[in-house]
Amino acid sequence: MSILVFVESAEGQVKKTSIEAVAYAAAMGGDVTAIALGNNVDSSELEKLGNFGASKVLHVDDERLNQGVIQAYSSILAKAMADTGAEVLVLANSALGNPVSARVSVKVGASLVSNVTDLPDTSSGFKVKRSIYTGKAFANVELTNDKKILAIKKNAAEIKETGGSATVEKYSADLNDGDFGAKITKTDKATGEVLLPEAEIVVSGGRGLKGPENWGMIEDLAKELGAATGCSKPVSDMDWRPHHEHVGQTGVKVSPQLYIAVGISGAIQHLAGVNSSKYIVVINKDPEAPFFKAADYGIVGDAFEIVPKFTEALRAAK
Amino acid sequence: MKILVCITHVPDTTSRITFTDGDTKFDTNGVQFIIGPYDDYALARAVELKEQLGGSITVLNVGGAETEPTIRKALAIGADDAIRVNAEPKDSFFVAEQIANAAKDGGYDLILMGRESIDFNGGMVHGMVGELLGLPSISPVMTLDIEGDTAKMTREIEGGKEYLEVKLPFVAGCQEPIAEWKIPNMRGIMSARTKPLNVVEPSGNGENTRLEKYELPPAKGEVKMIDADNVGELVSLLKNEAKVI
């Protein structure tokens, strides 16, 4: 089986979610070709994909693709599927992967499933399991078309080093003006911090922190853990924290190994954004906070005392 | 300004999720249905744009007759008329094709919808509609303003946002904080009863996926409580039991 994997990059490096997509394709078995777009990704990064299961990496070295131009990306991926004979396209379920893969699926007539959580079952037909109802249930779905596209949820695949190597080849895309119908005029992006949707550990603060001036202790704890910082909806609504930190049903949905909630009561909309976390720690002064029911570990008490002590204890345990 | 807003009819966020018929059907027993929260944002922004620029709003839903109360609510919020495609929304492509077929001769300047539904969380329909109609599609859109024949918007990306410009018409998948949700007032509720709601039959090639069955995740275990004076124990549990640090 020939599989194409679209890899996204940020700050010169291939994103971890895209490495997971390569690992997922490798675990499916078959010949894995990765494709990267834009000239702001280091070639050593692309070569590294061989170690995770890609045999070849196609690189469209075009400055116009340094930002996620949805139409241009989808045109290139459709062409690359045809040129490589790929039956399956695999990519990360992301703010870019989803809108791009939707267009590719129409261009190539593929069955498309997003939020995929497990490897396909090919014992009869081609079936995958996907997360639905914001993590509260799963659907087992059969992809009935010859061509298939899978948008993989974070942590759906285990990254394994194969010791393999990949050749990196320049790939040219036939793009026209129509592919650049939407112009990106500016980008505001946090740099150098752990990105929330891809973080292995997330520390989130809620209204219990009483004001934006008290976020220092959340940031200290996050720094100690190498974690991303998040917040509840009221906190982002009050502009205590930027919108891209809002975790929940209508914000960012996270699936880290560890989610630490400080001063968040656990409204159902917030839980919907965190219920894919492997472990949840809740720190709240209200023993009746509903979040404790969804937690693995809980501490009832004053966050202003507990969080600095927790940071200190982590430092001491290193 | 002619705007099409596509809405989903979904279980309220707080609904308990269970399945029937050998785990092949969602159990609607006792479930309250609502306009999808993301679609609510799209509709709210459409209402604001209509107030600002004039024009009309058509709301569209793919669903059976049971979705009509949800469609009427959208009419009460400010849509002028509605289209219901009389079919069960089976998968993203099926829904996208119904929307594209209904929209292609409508002369819409803007096609708005939520970034995803809260039942299937596909996040795919806006992109498919854009491709089917040969229009740009952008999602997830956080702010949207129209200046002449150009839309200026911001799109959420991991860790920040992009500023974009696109010529009308185009398709957008919307999310907060694009607008404040609108609550229907009494006048809106009364007028919604008499606004046109046209039912059309589905057309197209059908779906590209087939649901085999649903399943629920395993039940969560009991929470382990740790004394506030003993955070060292939490560190030890995360290190040695959960093995996540």
Side-chain angles (χ1 to χ4, degrees):
Chain A
M1 190 189 312
S2 172
I3 306 168
L4 182 71
V5 183
F6 166 49
V7 294
E8 295 179 53
S9 60
E11 296 177 50
Q13 297 191 312
V14 171
K15 287 187 173 185
K16 184 168 177 283
T17 46
S18 291
I19 294 174
E20 285 180 9
V22 172
Y24 181 98
M28 278 171 68
D31 186 34
V32 179
T33 301
I35 180 163
L37 311 178
N39 71 353
N40 57 354
V41 55
D42 301 343
S43 56
S44 61
E45 278 286 302
L46 299 180
E47 283 164 20
K48 219 168 65 178
L49 294 171
N51 191 27
F52 302 110
S55 61
K56 189 163 58 171
V57 183
L58 304 176
H59 183 204
V60 186
D61 185 358
D62 185 333
E63 195 181 354
R64 293 174 301 169
L65 305 173
N66 287 358
Q67 292 161 307
V69 189
I70 292 168
Q71 282 169 281
Y73 276 38
S74 52
S75 294
I76 296 166
L77 293 181
K79 178 177 181 279
M81 273 187 93
D83 287 351
T84 59
E87 296 138 79
V88 183
L89 170 67
V90 175
L91 36 69
N93 197 87
S94 68
L96 186 62
N98 288 19
V100 167
S101 59
R103 295 191 76 108
V104 179
S105 74
V106 173
K107 283 180 192 288
V108 303
S111 295
L112 164 62
V113 178
S114 58
N115 273 309
V116 173
T117 58
D118 289 84
L119 283 167
D121 170 3
T122 52
S123 56
S124 78
F126 188 105
K127 294 164 189 165
V128 291
K129 187 168 159 179
R130 67 182 301 255
S131 167
I132 55 171
Y133 291 104
T134 323
K136 287 192 278 190
F138 298 98
N140 293 283
V141 178
E142 182 175 8
L143 289 82
T144 49
N145 291 18
D146 292 342
K147 291 212 178 333
K148 297 159 179 71
I149 304 179
L150 304 174
I152 309 299
K153 198 170 170 175
K154 185 176 168 288
N155 292 336
E158 193 186 342
I159 294 175
K160 288 185 183 149
E161 298 200 21
T162 61
S165 62
T167 55
V168 179
E169 296 175 13
K170 290 275 181 279
Y171 181 71
S172 67
D174 307 328
L175 296 169
N176 57 48
D177 288 349
D179 289 314
F180 295 91
K183 307 252 182 307
I184 299 169
T185 54
K186 192 170 77 150
T187 303
D188 282 346
K189 198 168 176 190
T191 51
E193 64 179 53
V194 184
L195 293 179
L196 187 56
E198 295 160 27
E200 294 300 341
I201 303 177
V202 175
V203 182
S204 274
R207 254 185 311 200
L209 290 173
K210 296 188 170 71
E213 67 281 4
N214 296 323
W215 239 260
M217 65 180 190
I218 295 290
E219 284 167 349
D220 288 349
L221 175 57
K223 198 170 170 190
E224 193 57 43
L225 288 162
T229 53
C231 68
S232 63
K233 186 175 189 309
V235 164
S236 109
D237 285 350
M238 291 184 289
D239 282 335
W240 291 3
R241 300 296 288 179
H243 184 269
H244 70 256
E245 285 197 7
H246 162 207
V247 173
Q249 169 116 39
T250 55
V252 179
K253 292 189 274 288
V254 295
S255 47
Q257 295 289 310
L258 175 62
Y259 186 81
I260 300 171
V262 182
I264 302 176
S265 62
I268 204 144
Q269 290 82 353
H270 187 78
L271 294 182
V274 307
N275 57 16
S276 298
S277 308
K278 196 166 177 196
Y279 286 92
I280 295 175
V281 172
V282 171
I283 299 168
N284 201 298
K285 68 174 194 274
D286 176 9
E288 300 301 313
F291 216 153
F292 283 117
K293 287 193 176 64
D296 298 280
Y297 304 110
I299 300 182
V300 175
D302 182 356
F304 294 95
E305 287 177 21
I306 294 165
V307 172
K309 278 189 195 167
F310 184 23
T311 309
E312 200 45 55
L314 284 164
R315 208 167 282 147
K318 270 188 175 169
Chain B
M1 175 64 57
K2 209 171 168 205
I3 308 173
L4 178 69
V5 180
C6 309
I7 61 167
T8 52
H9 162 87
V10 290
D12 181 87
T13 314
T14 58
S15 305
R16 197 164 154 264
I17 307 297
T18 54
F19 303 106
T20 59
D21 294 22
D23 288 335
T24 60
K25 276 204 169 70
F26 175 70
D27 185 358
T28 58
N29 198 11
V31 171
Q32 169 88 26
F33 280 83
I34 57 169
I35 299 172
Y38 296 113
D39 309 324
D40 240 339
Y41 285 117
L43 178 61
R45 188 60 191 142
V47 169
E48 291 170 359
L49 289 169
K50 183 185 142 186
E51 282 167 3
Q52 190 188 323
L53 305 163
S56 66
I57 300 169
T58 299
V59 68
L60 181 149
N61 168 260
V62 179
E66 71 280 1
T67 72
E68 292 200 1
T70 302
I71 298 172
R72 290 279 174 207
K73 189 184 170 195
L75 291 167
I77 286 168
D80 299 286
D81 60 324
I83 300 167
R84 178 171 70 81
V85 180
N86 186 31
E88 187 191 341
K90 287 185 175 157
D91 80 345
S92 301
F93 181 74
F94 176 83
V95 171
E97 203 173 23
Q98 303 318 312
I99 294 169
N101 289 345
K104 67 176 185 279
D105 301 322
Y108 297 105
D109 301 295
L110 260 183
I111 300 176
L112 305 181
M113 62 189 78
R115 89 174 188 204
E116 64 184 60
S117 68
I118 63 162
D119 50 4
F120 275 81
N121 310 117
M124 298 292 171
V125 172
H126 34 75
M128 290 174 171
V129 170
E131 187 63 35
L132 286 164
L133 294 174
L135 299 175
S137 58
I138 297 161
S139 177
V141 174
M142 300 166 70
T143 63
L144 170 64
D145 291 291
I146 310 290
E147 292 175 18
D149 66 348
T150 302
K152 293 187 174 182
M153 71 201 93
T154 53
R155 181 177 99 86
E156 181 143 66
I157 55 175
E158 279 90 4
K161 57 187 170 186
E162 275 172 356
Y163 296 74
L164 294 108
E165 288 183 12
V166 65
K167 289 263 184 283
L168 302 178
F170 76 103
V171 184
C174 305
Q175 67 167 50
E176 65 182 3
I178 195 164
E180 288 285 326
W181 281 354
K182 307 278 182 271
I183 311 287
N185 57 27
M186 188 48 74
R187 198 163 131 245
I189 293 165
M190 298 303 286
S191 67
R193 294 177 186 172
T194 55
K195 287 177 177 175
L197 194 166
N198 303 308
V199 179
V200 299
E201 292 307 312
S203 57
N205 301 316
E207 57 274 12
N208 293 335
T209 59
R210 187 187 63 80
L211 174 88
E212 191 178 48
K213 71 179 183 50
Y214 295 115
E215 60 181 270
L216 292 169
K220 188 100 187 166
E222 277 290 292
V223 58
K224 205 175 259 187
M225 297 307 288
I226 294 137
D227 194 282
D229 295 327
N230 191 8
V231 288
E233 189 192 347
L234 176 61
V235 174
S236 160
L237 286 165
L238 294 175
K239 226 183 179 62
N240 306 317
E241 186 177 79
K243 297 185 171 64
V244 286
I245 59 170

